[in-house]
Amino acid sequence: MNDSSIRLRNSILEAQKIARTADLATLSPEERRRMVQEAQTLLDKLDVVTQQYLVVGLLGGTGVGKSTLMNVLAEASISSASHRRPHTDAILLYHHIDTPLPVQPDPGTPWREYTHTSRTAQQIVLCDLPDFDSIQPEHRRQVLDFIEHVDILVWLTSPAKYGDGSFYEFLQLVPKSKHNFYFVLNKSDLFFDGGNSGEGFKEMQRVHADFRGHLRKADIADPVIFTVSAEEALDGQALSPWNQAPSLRQEIFRQRDLKEIKNIKTANLDQEYSRYLSLFKNELVHLETMHDILTHTITAMEIAGAEEERIVRDNIYAALDESTRVEIRLKLENTAILKGPGYGMAALVEQWRYGRSKGRIDEEHGTFDLANRRMVQVIQRQLENITNRIMSDIMRRGAHRVMAGRVEDILKPEYRTRIFEEKLDKQANSRLTSSHSDRHILFQTGQYIVYLFLLSGLIVALAGKTAWQDLFANPSLNHMLNFIFTAFFNLFSPAGLAALGSYALINLLFGFWFYRRYRRLVERKTSRIIKSFVENTGRQWRESIGHTSAALKEYDQALVATAQSLRELK
């Protein structure tokens, strides 16, 4: 099989692979199956034409070395002079053992068949035609008729017989085109038997010129003459520079390849393959159109995504209304960080302030859950808006419906909304849980310090100036016990009750102050959480647009690769 056939086979195989495995939008599954089968049909036809054989006939007079030259062409010992005896008028056909005999002489024409195992000559049938100077008159017509089946005719002669007139007489009887004739001057080593190479070359040139002149007289205007020594070529040693046996073999196989190309063209395989490729042209047009559309769409979507992010943020802020802030504050409530009067005040105020509201929230299954649904709806609405704009633009630009459907599957706002909702729930629960579990150690420590200071002040005031000065001047157990008992006895005096009232009032004031700080702390945390929701929503929006853009680019790359494969089909 020559290079042209190999290229054609590879192209058909690649086209078949594309029809079988590529993502083709314009062809239905049934059409693709039919294209796969048509490609196989083309391959089968190619096998038929490439398995046709070149029939080479060797014709010459007695003793010019046809058997030896045949072995040189086959690069194996396939012919013997004994094959010719006693069948001097028979046509001897040599073919590979796995190759069926493509031609047979007509009935009545003597012929014999010989097989060989030479891979070199597997697709060449070599025909040893009878010596033209020994053919019986009654067989001459059969031999001339058989020559009609021969693709190439090699006329063989020697320095001793090239001037034989019967050679040229028989040459003019053969009805083949003269373009398929090759002339071989065998046994040219005889020119150098005298040992003087210079004289040998002169004699060779003289005979070669004389031989050419005879052929021109026989109407062979531009004869192709090979000067060879078949015996020398068969020995396997280094060839003389004038020995053209390799060139003759190369020319024979070149003719084999040319015949194969001619057979392919004669069988119209190239036209059939061109028609086959035309089925891909519509697909290629749509692929190129879709590539242009996707390039524009991806750029437009990325620009629109950035603009839509601002709208998403604004809508998320709107979705998180005051009722949502109330529930977030409720979820963040952790009055355990309040100490003393502040805790009691928080219990009373929160019970009065949120009791009824909390009941309504429980009835509605939670305002915060409702806000979550609103945020999800915002994202879904914006994704659907982008999807609708993209699909409308794609269809307006002439995208094939199947390719447009693939793009819609990639966009799939429902799927991306579900992903967003899962992330939002996970983020909300994590953020609220972590915020609720904050201990606020500094805030608690400050309360302990203030209340301890107030208590210390009360005790000192009850004990009186003398008792605490004595304790300070002489810190002993007796003075300590005196300090404590004095404070206890003074507690129920008018001055002690006044100090106790002042202490209670100051505690209430500090409790209210700490409660107000607690409320501001919860409010700040609520604002931070709402801000984080908005920021995370914006980030998830960008991620969603980025993932969608990446998926569209991946699909576009697949289209470009398929289009490139179709362009490379020749």
Side-chain angles (χ1 to χ4, degrees), residues 137-202:
E138 61 270 20
H139 293 160
R140 179 169 298 213
R141 175 45 54 188
Q142 286 91 337
V143 172
L144 290 173
D145 290 340
F146 175 77
I147 289 177
E148 286 291 333
H149 302 292
V150 174
D151 296 307
I152 293 175
L153 198 57
V154 179
W155 294 83
L156 198 63
T157 187
S158 66
K161 289 201 168 187
Y162 79 91
D164 190 345
S166 58
F167 178 91
Y168 302 102
E169 291 177 4
F170 197 79
L171 176 61
Q172 294 185 344
L173 293 176
V174 175
K176 295 292 291 182
S177 170
K178 305 299 188 291
H179 297 292
N180 297 323
F181 289 176
Y182 293 96
F183 299 93
V184 176
L185 188 63
N186 194 22
K187 298 186 178 183
S188 294
D189 54 300
L190 296 176
F191 293 120
F192 302 93
D193 280 351
N196 189 327
S197 59
E199 294 296 329
F201 275 111
K202 288 182 180 180

Side-chain angles (χ1 to χ4, degrees), residues 115-408:
T115 60
H116 60 80
T117 58
S118 172
R119 306 296 294 182
T120 302
Q122 184 173 2
Q123 289 186 285
I124 293 181
V125 177
L126 294 171
C127 306
D128 185 354
L129 301 174
D131 301 336
F132 63 82
D133 52 3
S134 66
I135 302 177
Q136 297 180 17
E138 61 270 20
H139 293 160
R140 179 169 298 213
R141 175 45 54 188
Q142 286 91 337
V143 172
L144 290 173
D145 290 340
F146 175 77
I147 289 177
E148 286 291 333
H149 302 292
V150 174
D151 296 307
I152 293 175
L153 198 57
V154 179
W155 294 83
L156 198 63
T157 187
S158 66
K161 289 201 168 187
Y162 79 91
D164 190 345
S166 58
F167 178 91
Y168 302 102
E169 291 177 4
F170 197 79
L171 176 61
Q172 294 185 344
L173 293 176
V174 175
K176 295 292 291 182
S177 170
K178 305 299 188 291
H179 297 292
N180 297 323
F181 289 176
Y182 293 96
F183 299 93
V184 176
L185 188 63
N186 194 22
K187 298 186 178 183
S188 294
D189 54 300
L190 296 176
F191 293 120
F192 302 93
D193 280 351
N196 189 327
S197 59
E199 294 296 329
F201 275 111
K202 288 182 180 180
E203 182 63 15
M204 179 185 293
Q205 292 174 357
R206 186 192 66 77
V207 171
H208 193 280
D210 196 23
F211 186 26
R212 181 179 296 275
H214 287 304
L215 292 173
R216 285 176 175 170
K217 290 179 181 179
D219 296 330
I220 309 295
D222 191 16
V224 179
I225 302 174
F226 292 90
T227 303
V228 303
S229 173
E231 289 187 357
E232 183 184 69
L234 199 60
D235 287 342
Q237 300 178 358
L239 297 180
S240 300
W242 49 263
N243 196 339
Q244 296 179 307
S247 299
L248 175 62
R249 185 189 304 114
Q250 182 178 1
E251 179 64 18
I252 296 296
F253 283 95
R254 187 181 73 85
Q255 291 296 327
R256 165 69 186 93
D257 293 342
L258 290 175
K259 180 183 180 183
E260 183 174 306
I261 294 172
K262 179 181 177 181
N263 289 337
I264 291 173
K265 292 185 179 297
T266 302
N268 292 322
L269 277 182
D270 49 350
Q271 286 86 355
E272 287 190 41
Y273 181 58
S274 296
R275 286 194 297 271
Y276 180 81
L277 291 183
S278 66
L279 299 175
F280 288 119
K281 288 183 179 179
N282 189 39
E283 178 73 20
L284 182 57
V285 170
H286 283 290
L287 287 172
E288 292 172 342
T289 301
M290 194 63 190
H291 170 62
D292 295 338
I293 292 174
L294 284 178
T295 300
H296 173 270
T297 296
I298 292 170
T299 303
M301 186 186 69
E302 291 174 346
I303 295 174
E307 296 174 350
E308 293 284 344
E309 183 180 349
R310 178 182 56 80
I311 299 175
V312 168
R313 286 175 177 269
D314 293 343
N315 288 334
I316 293 299
Y317 270 122
L320 298 172
D321 55 13
E322 182 57 33
S323 60
T324 306
R325 296 180 67 91
V326 169
E327 185 175 359
I328 293 176
R329 283 196 295 267
L330 285 174
K331 290 179 180 292
L332 293 176
E333 291 288 353
N334 184 15
T335 55
I337 67 173
L338 286 169
K339 307 301 176 184
Y343 180 78
M345 185 172 293
L348 291 174
V349 172
E350 296 303 314
Q351 181 65 31
W352 170 78
R353 187 174 181 180
Y354 294 115
R356 295 177 62 186
S357 298
K358 187 172 176 60
R360 287 195 301 272
I361 290 173
D362 290 338
E363 283 181 7
E364 298 172 4
H365 306 290
T367 306
F368 185 69
D369 292 337
L370 179 60
N372 272 359
R373 290 195 295 272
R374 288 174 181 170
M375 288 189 286
V376 170
Q377 289 171 357
V378 168
I379 293 294
Q380 182 175 4
R381 185 166 56 251
Q382 295 306 120
L383 288 174
E384 288 176 348
N385 287 341
I386 287 182
T387 299
N388 292 336
R389 287 201 303 270
I390 289 176
M391 294 307 301
S392 176
D393 184 62
I394 285 177
M395 297 306 295
R396 180 176 57 82
R397 290 174 175 269
H400 190 273
R401 57 179 181 78
V402 175
M403 294 179 179
R406 304 272 171 80
V407 172
E408 190 171 17

